[in-house]
Amino acid sequence: MPEPSTAAFDAGVAHSLRSLGADGSAPALDPLGDPAGAARALSAAGGAPLLLRVAPELGAPQRDKEAAFGPVPRDPVWLRIERGASAVQLAPLRFAGAGPARGAGGAGGAGEAAAEARDPVRVEVIAAQRPCCGAASCTRERTYVAAWLALAAPASSAGRGAAEQRLLVAEAQDLEAARAEALVEAVAAPLAAALRVPLETARGTESPDAIAPRPLPEPAPEPAPALSAAALSRFAIRSEGELFVLRDHASQGPRGSATRNALIGGLLLLVALALWIQVMRSVAAGDSGIAIGVGSGAALLSLAGYAFLGVARFSSRYAARSAPVASFGPGRFVVAPWVSRTGAIDLRPEGRLGAAISAGEVHGVQVQPRGDRFAVEIDTDHGPIDALLTGREDVARYWRDAMDRAVASVRHPGGPSARQRLRARSQTQQAAAAG
């Protein structure tokens, strides 16, 4: 099936980049997707402006009747920085159109905002403890570390009690607290030094002139292939609550199929109506056999048409501006997770492709050619799963590395699980019986 056009999304991204004085071919950094590459670029000498993609702060998790959901997603934003400059330039991931600007920090992912100058205040590194894998018998904890860039309130709202805005710059999760801290601080320290703002960590506050360089943890992660802003823009990964979620920001999610489903449902109901008319004619003529046969078909088509219209009604109310590709939670991952109408991730361990899969059952993440496109394939005990499809091999390799890190960040350490041992024993017994 052909991939839906991303022309409108690409045009919106190009418009946003132009507002920053950049274009789609400009190199861009995503510390959330490739922290090692961003750390090296930020630490390199040179005064050229840097284009970063960062993420706005999210709200609290949601609940709808009996189902629990993560926080409502928001689009990432572009950040253009110049070393030593007193302000940064902030712009949305994309412009939704040529309508009036409404401020880069607005709800809904900052889709209609204009680029604006903002004053950086500080870079702060925070840490929290999270469960290892969710198993009742596991008492291990992972350390989650995140770096946030605090920006002063816009000049237009000065004096009105506007709060600072926080942007998520980098994050990591590991059973070794020191490794997670080292990876995040390797991004946070050069960023704070470049912006000439204090760096706040658990060890205290470092002034801009006293920020010590932070090496990457050993063994140092390999940087992902460098991507242009246009190539980077479509997919993004970040934490949403306790999940790491990879999203496709060019996808309309369920809303993209609403018109198609409505047309199919309407067509089925029209055919069903014609059949019901024939049923009435057959009954009037005394042809009960024909009436029963045609009536059965009419009933099935009526139910199918009503079902398609119901799906279309739900799809048309999908309010998010992106669709999740995969989510990675304690000890497991889900490809194509279920979502609420706001795009928030359903926290139940299942998705459109079935139940969640244990991260310990992943053999590897590879890039595989699929015709003229490339798939990021997650190879598991249950077989390979295509998680992401793109037309560029370098983009596929970039997100292959990001997904590989996400799986490692939630995988329970140690040998095979009880389920894997049971499966291996069963396969051995079957092979012995067959031999």
Side-chain angles (χ1 to χ4, degrees):
M1 189 174 71
E3 187 178 15
S5 172
T6 62
F9 172 80
D10 295 337
V13 170
H15 188 182
S16 184
L17 292 172
R18 285 196 300 271
S19 74
L20 292 169
D23 58 35
S25 63
L29 305 175
D30 184 356
L32 296 168
D34 177 24
R40 289 185 173 97
L42 287 166
S43 300
L50 294 175
L51 183 64
L52 277 73
R53 188 174 65 176
V54 295
E57 199 166 7
L58 301 180
Q62 309 290 303
R63 177 167 287 278
D64 181 13
K65 297 179 181 178
E66 298 301 319
F69 296 89
V72 175
R74 301 177 68 189
D75 279 3
V77 295
W78 298 110
L79 197 67
R80 188 175 185 269
I81 67 172
E82 295 187 43
R83 299 178 190 276
S86 60
V88 299
Q89 295 292 321
L90 183 67
L93 175 67
R94 51 172 162 197
F95 281 116
R102 299 200 310 198
E112 297 82 12
E116 60 179 339
R118 299 288 292 276
D119 293 328
V121 177
R122 65 186 175 278
V123 175
E124 53 188 8
V125 178
I126 59 95
Q129 298 303 118
R130 293 181 174 178
C132 169
C133 59
S137 58
C138 180
T139 58
R140 297 177 185 236
E141 287 188 324
R142 297 182 186 273
T143 299
Y144 168 79
V145 183
W148 294 86
L149 170 63
L151 301 178
S156 59
S157 59
R160 292 186 291 176
E164 295 177 346
Q165 180 182 2
R166 294 203 313 166
L167 298 174
L168 180 62
V169 175
E171 59 186 352
Q173 182 173 275
D174 204 292
L175 287 169
E176 298 180 25
R179 183 172 179 81
E181 290 172 0
L183 184 57
V184 171
E185 290 190 18
V187 175
L191 177 63
L195 296 177
R196 306 289 299 165
V197 296
L199 173 65
E200 297 182 1
T201 69
R203 296 180 297 278
T205 301
E206 299 175 43
S207 65
D209 294 323
I211 296 175
R214 271 36 171 212
L216 287 165
E218 295 293 340
E222 287 296 324
L227 294 180
S228 66
L232 180 67
S233 60
R234 177 171 180 176
F235 301 100
I237 191 169
R238 65 158 299 168
S239 61
E240 297 181 11
E242 292 193 356
L243 300 177
F244 291 99
V245 181
L246 175 63
R247 287 186 175 271
D248 181 353
H249 289 275
S251 172
Q252 294 181 314
R255 191 171 64 252
S257 62
T259 302
R260 182 196 65 192
N261 289 332
L263 290 174
I264 293 174
L267 180 60
L268 289 173
L269 290 179
L270 284 175
V271 175
L273 177 61
L275 292 179
W276 284 120
I277 293 173
Q278 181 58 45
V279 168
M280 289 186 289
R281 289 176 177 172
S282 298
V283 170
D287 295 330
S288 58
I290 294 177
I292 292 173
V294 175
S296 299
L300 289 174
L301 290 177
S302 298
L303 290 173
Y306 180 79
F308 269 98
L309 290 179
V311 172
R313 184 170 59 252
F314 175 87
S315 301
S316 65
R317 295 176 181 174
Y318 185 73
R321 296 158 55 84
S322 63
V325 172
S327 65
F328 305 85
R332 56 181 170 80
F333 74 94
V334 177
V335 174
W338 294 115
V339 294
S340 70
R341 288 177 176 171
T342 62
I345 300 293
D346 191 328
L347 299 183
R348 289 173 293 190
E350 58 189 42
R352 286 181 287 159
L353 302 185
I357 296 177
S358 169
E361 297 177 351
V362 174
H363 303 306
V365 185
Q366 299 98 23
V367 173
Q368 300 290 352
R370 296 285 186 266
D372 60 348
R373 292 188 286 176
F374 298 89
V376 180
E377 177 189 273
I378 304 178
D379 188 17
T380 74
D381 286 356
H382 308 273
I385 304 172
D386 283 359
L388 181 152
L389 199 61
T390 178
R392 294 183 50 162
E393 186 175 8
D394 56 346
V395 173
R397 293 190 180 281
Y398 187 99
W399 294 112
R400 182 272 313 274
D401 293 348
M403 279 194 267
D404 195 39
R405 286 192 298 272
V407 170
S409 73
V410 300
R411 180 189 288 121
H412 178 79
S417 65
R419 183 183 301 173
Q420 288 174 305
R421 292 193 296 269
L422 182 62
R423 186 182 297 118
R425 188 180 306 119
S426 174
Q427 291 172 346
T428 302
Q429 293 171 349
Q430 290 175 0

